[in-house]
Amino acid sequence: MKFVMLLNHKKIKNAPGKFLLRCFKTGVAMEIIFYHPTFDTPYWIAELTKKLPGANVRAWQRGDNAPADYALVWHPPVEMLQGRNLKAVFALGAGVDSILSKLKAHPEMLPDAIPLYRLEDTGMGSQMQEYAVSQVLHWFRRFDDYQQLQREGRWQPLADYNHDEFTIGIMGAGVLGSKVAQSLLPWGFPVRSWSRSRKDWPQVTSFAGESELAEFLRDTRVLINLLPNTAETIGIIDQSLLAQLPDNSYVLNLARGVHVVEDDLLAALDSGKLKAAMLDVFSREPLPQESPLWRHPRVTMTPHVAAVTRPQEAISYIAQTISQLERGEQVDGQVDRVRGY
């Protein structure tokens, strides 16, 4: 238990994080538990402590049942959260799949009354923009075709693609989908989005709901997947969906591997319906060596690195959000557990 003294309330009133020193009449430091199986835990704890002076941030270990106000987690063990009277839980990434899947089997792990937050951007948006723009331009300038000609030892200029015939369709219109759409517009491509509800984004044609999916797909030359992982979206990119794209289309999956039926994707590539696919995520990770995706000549892949959590941006976001919650303010990023995002 820690006790602190207010020397000048007015001076620290609006300083970021320093309001925590007041400890709200109790004089007890705020307790934050942290768990991530791969992050540099000492670094995160040190930086969080700088951003939230007066808070006690500790690495959670098995058997730690001491009180806590907030939990910062990634793939948390059930016992870490179960039975705690937390003010909020923060997932240390944009996805909350692991937490929600555990909640199905262990609903007592996190009562509905405890809000769950995810990192909506924190540097991920710019990374997704870089990834998407670089790959779309790679296909648009036919660099994949020129690489094949190089392997064949052939010097052969190819006809250019036209911007107006290279429509980009983004499935998933959340924060990251919005960022990717914005980054593609300056290059002159027609951009459209498809999501659960209609969006009002400048220069982007919005489609919504199952009834408009076919229309969305009809002229989409490059399909970019940024959907959330929900019961409704698992396996959505299957043979039926791919068949509705124009011939020689492209698929760029930046969301979750479970969205794509990999056998159907391979069949579409082999038939010529798809010209190429760029995959950052897979149904099983690491991708098993026996997967034919490793060896397919028109599949390019990266090991789930399209957008990773950037510590400084994430730490600043978490510290700011905790500060806002403590002041009773409205904040963004709370997960709707029914929708799954």
Side-chain angles (χ1 to χ4, degrees):
M1 188 174 294
K2 296 181 180 180
F3 295 87
V4 295
M5 180 181 295
L6 275 183
L7 298 179
N8 191 325
H9 172 77
K10 291 183 179 179
K11 286 185 179 179
I12 71 167
K13 178 180 175 183
N14 296 317
K18 290 189 177 180
F19 73 94
L20 289 173
L21 294 173
R22 288 177 285 167
C23 298
F24 304 96
K25 300 180 182 180
T26 67
V28 180
M30 176 174 297
E31 296 288 338
I32 300 174
I33 50 177
F34 180 94
Y35 176 84
H36 195 294
T38 61
F39 278 2
D40 183 347
T41 296
Y43 171 82
W44 275 74
I45 289 177
E47 293 301 308
L48 282 162
T49 301
K50 290 178 186 177
K51 294 284 186 181
L52 296 170
N56 179 39
V57 186
R58 70 181 189 270
W60 180 85
Q61 297 178 346
R62 293 192 182 278
D64 177 356
N65 297 315
D69 299 290
Y70 295 94
L72 316 181
V73 302
W74 190 249
H75 294 279
V78 172
E79 66 178 283
M80 178 185 181
L81 303 179
Q82 187 173 347
R84 290 189 182 276
N85 185 24
L86 297 163
K87 295 181 180 180
V89 173
F90 288 83
L92 296 172
V96 290
D97 314 36
S98 66
I99 295 177
L100 295 181
S101 62
K102 283 189 178 180
L103 278 173
K104 289 181 180 179
H106 303 277
E108 74 282 359
M109 181 178 80
L110 195 64
D112 291 340
I114 299 176
L116 172 64
Y117 294 91
R118 62 188 177 93
L119 305 184
E120 286 198 319
D121 189 343
T122 62
M124 296 182 194
S126 60
Q127 294 175 77
M128 284 293 190
Q129 289 176 324
E130 294 163 355
Y131 197 113
V133 169
S134 64
Q135 188 57 42
V136 168
L137 292 178
H138 181 90
W139 286 328
F140 180 69
R141 291 302 307 268
R142 305 193 67 173
F143 291 151
D144 53 336
D145 293 322
Y146 284 118
Q147 287 173 337
Q148 180 59 37
L149 291 174
Q150 178 184 347
R151 286 190 288 268
E152 297 171 2
R154 296 168 57 194
W155 182 281
Q156 180 183 341
L158 301 172
D160 292 339
Y161 288 146
N162 297 319
H163 285 84
D164 58 0
E165 297 175 349
F166 214 77
T167 297
I168 313 299
I170 301 171
M171 297 182 73
V175 173
L176 297 180
S178 172
K179 295 280 188 180
V180 169
Q182 292 170 18
S183 69
L184 289 165
L185 287 170
W187 297 96
F189 300 112
V191 178
R192 55 179 56 181
S193 69
W194 179 81
S195 56
R196 184 174 179 274
S197 58
R198 198 173 308 283
K199 305 300 179 184
D200 185 18
W201 296 347
Q203 303 179 66
V204 177
T205 305
S206 175
F207 297 83
E210 187 175 351
S211 63
E212 296 183 5
L213 180 58
E215 185 181 359
F216 163 80
L217 295 168
R218 187 171 299 120
D219 296 315
T220 291
R221 185 70 184 278
V222 178
L223 182 68
I224 300 178
N225 178 37
L226 283 166
L227 286 167
N229 182 8
T230 69
E232 292 76 21
T233 62
I234 292 175
I236 190 171
I237 301 177
D238 60 3
Q239 188 277 332
S240 174
L241 183 145
L242 295 170
Q244 299 176 68
L245 293 169
D247 291 343
N248 290 311
S249 293
Y250 303 87
V251 168
L252 174 56
N253 189 14
L254 300 176
R256 287 291 184 267
V258 295
H259 291 141
V260 176
V261 179
E262 292 174 355
D263 287 345
D264 290 358
L265 180 78
L266 288 165
L269 287 163
D270 290 339
S271 71
K273 165 56 71 172
L274 291 182
K275 188 172 182 185
M278 179 76 187
L279 309 175
D280 182 58
V281 289
F282 305 89
S283 57
R284 290 177 59 193
E285 296 183 1
L287 184 67
Q289 285 298 313
E290 62 270 21
S291 171
L293 292 171
W294 284 108
R295 294 169 291 279
H296 199 285
R298 284 183 284 141
V299 172
T300 308
M301 62 178 68
T302 50
H304 205 147
V305 295
V308 298
T309 301
R310 288 178 171 169
Q312 279 301 326
E313 288 92 334
I315 289 166
S316 294
Y317 165 79
I318 291 168
Q320 177 182 346
T321 304
I322 288 177
S323 299
Q324 290 175 306
L325 289 171
E326 289 293 327
R327 294 194 295 264
E329 299 175 1
Q330 292 291 111
V331 299
D332 296 325
Q334 183 171 350
V335 174
D336 183 324
R337 299 193 198 181
V338 176
R339 294 184 181 180
Y341 58 92

